[in-house]
Amino acid sequence: MDDARAALVREKVERLRQELAEMGLETAFFYRAPGFAKAPVGFLLIGETGSDVEDARNA
């Protein structure tokens, strides 16, 4: 992904994350390059927090 395209993706994802935060949802965004991917894959996690994971472990 070229620099201009990557910057546009960051801007759009950040805008979406802000909107979700205003709705009370936590988010996480990261890139991974799994297996034979030709380019990094972006992951946007919505609504899951560290405390959610801990609560699930303790349940």
Side-chain angles (χ1 to χ4, degrees):
M1 184 179 316
D2 65 22
D3 290 342
R5 190 171 173 191
L8 183 58
V9 168
R10 275 192 306 274
E11 178 184 324
K12 289 183 178 285
V13 168
E14 190 53 41
R15 228 179 304 149
L16 176 58
R17 291 183 70 197
Q18 179 62 40
E19 290 177 19
L20 292 167
E22 290 169 5
M23 293 171 33
L25 296 169
E26 295 202 28
T27 63
F29 180 71
F30 54 90
Y31 284 103
R32 294 283 186 268
F36 294 99
K38 294 180 181 180
V41 176
F43 292 85
L44 175 61
L45 304 181
I46 301 171
E48 186 174 276
T49 66
S51 64
D52 293 332
V53 173
E54 286 303 313
D55 290 346
R57 286 183 185 157
N58 295 326

